[in-house]
């Protein structure tokens, strides 16, 4: 019995030949071949009968289900393989997507750099156009500068003689007429040339003492436009001493007053307390015009006219006038 039970336990219900099933089929169909009927005969036979019925039923069902199970296994295996391939493809897809994202980022950066470069190129073109216009505009200035440098070099050589001619003009021509002034210019130029002192041949002393802007300013201030008046104005603005003007028509006085404006103090020696105005002008540094001067000037003004200043300390200059000191 023990061996029989082992064989029963070891029996494979999946592998029952068809001829065995065909042989068992008439037996199973018998009305007595069931657990209830056989139980009344023998309990062992009843269990064995029940086992046979169940084994046969299982085998028939298994033979129907087995192909489906095989298909399920094949489908499952196929699905697993497909999922594995899909995972590989998805991994590759992610790599491609990451690569595409990186390329898109590089493309965006490249486009931004391109736009920035194009903008910078446009700015450079504009600057280049402005530079070309500037260079073209300065071409004439270059020639003018070249001639100016050449003139300055020549002026450096002739500066001594020109200054001598201008100094002589300031110091001596004021009392004379236009014709006599021209004769003096000619004589001085010849003397400078005979002494081999470099100077500008044919130079006008007026061009040494003043430029066109100075002359225009003087005219705007009321100076007459004739040559004598302009030369006299150049002498007045260039001399180191206080100028004395013989001005019967008062043209020079009018020019001085308009030139100095409110900074000018005007006095006459016949006025009361004129010395106080002189002292006030010295203290405040204002310009002083003494009108209607006669042939003789009060001796009290001598230190002022001769600029008899005395240095006190390092920077202070004082002058003794009217019994006191002013600085």
């Amino acid at each position: 019995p023990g061996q029989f039970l082992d064989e029963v336990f070891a029996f494979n219900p999946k592998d029952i030949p068809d001829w065995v099933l065909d042989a068992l089929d008439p037996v199973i169909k018998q009305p007595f071949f069931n657990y209830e009927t056989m139980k009344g005969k023998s309990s062992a036979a009843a269990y064995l009968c029940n086992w046979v019925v169940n084994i046969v039923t299982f085998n028939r069902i298994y033979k129907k289900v087995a192909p489906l199970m095989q298909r399920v296994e094949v489908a499952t295996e196929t699905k697993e393989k497909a999922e594995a391939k899909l995972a590989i493809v998805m991994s590759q897809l992610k790599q491609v997507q990451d690569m595409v994202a990186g390329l898109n980022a590089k493309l965006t950066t490249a486009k931004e750099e391109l736009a920035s470069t194009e903008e910078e190129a446009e700015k450079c073109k504009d600057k280049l156009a402005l530079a070309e216009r500037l260079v073209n505009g300065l071409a004439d200035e270059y020639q003018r500068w070249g001639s100016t440098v050449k003139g300055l070099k020549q002026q450096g050589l002739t500066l001594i003689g020109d200054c001598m001619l201008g100094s002589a003009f300031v110091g001596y021509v004021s009392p004379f007429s236009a014709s006599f002034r021209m004769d003096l210019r000619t004589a001085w130029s010849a003397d400078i040339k005979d002494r081999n002192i470099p100077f500008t041949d044919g130079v006008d002393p007026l061009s040494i003492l003043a430029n066109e802007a100075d002359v225009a300013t003087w005219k705007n201030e009321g100076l007459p436009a004739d040559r004598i008046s302009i030369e006299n104005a150049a002498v007045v603005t260039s001399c180191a001493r206080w100028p004395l003007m013989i001005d019967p028509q008062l043209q020079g006085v009018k020019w001085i007053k308009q030139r100095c404006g409110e900074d000018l103090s005007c006095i006459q020696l016949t006025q009361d307390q004129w010395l106080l105005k002189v002292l006030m002008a010295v203290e405040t540094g204002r310009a002083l015009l003494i009108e209607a001067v006669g042939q003789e000037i009060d001796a009290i003004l001598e230190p002022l006219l001769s600029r008899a200043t005395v240095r006190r300390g390092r920077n202070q200059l004082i002058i003794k006038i009217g019994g006191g000191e002013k600085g």
Side-chain angles (χ1 to χ4, degrees), residues 209-222:
L209 302 176
N211 53 37
E212 295 180 357
D214 295 330
V215 175
T217 301
W218 297 340
K219 291 180 180 178
N220 290 333
E221 293 168 347

Side-chain angles (χ1 to χ4, degrees), residues 79-93:
K79 174 178 174 294
E80 292 176 352
K81 293 180 179 180
E83 288 178 348
K85 292 181 179 180
L86 178 61
I88 295 174
V89 172
M90 293 300 292
S91 176
Q92 294 176 348
L93 176 61

Side-chain angles (χ1 to χ4, degrees), residues 4 49 230:
F4 177 74
C49 176
I230 295 175

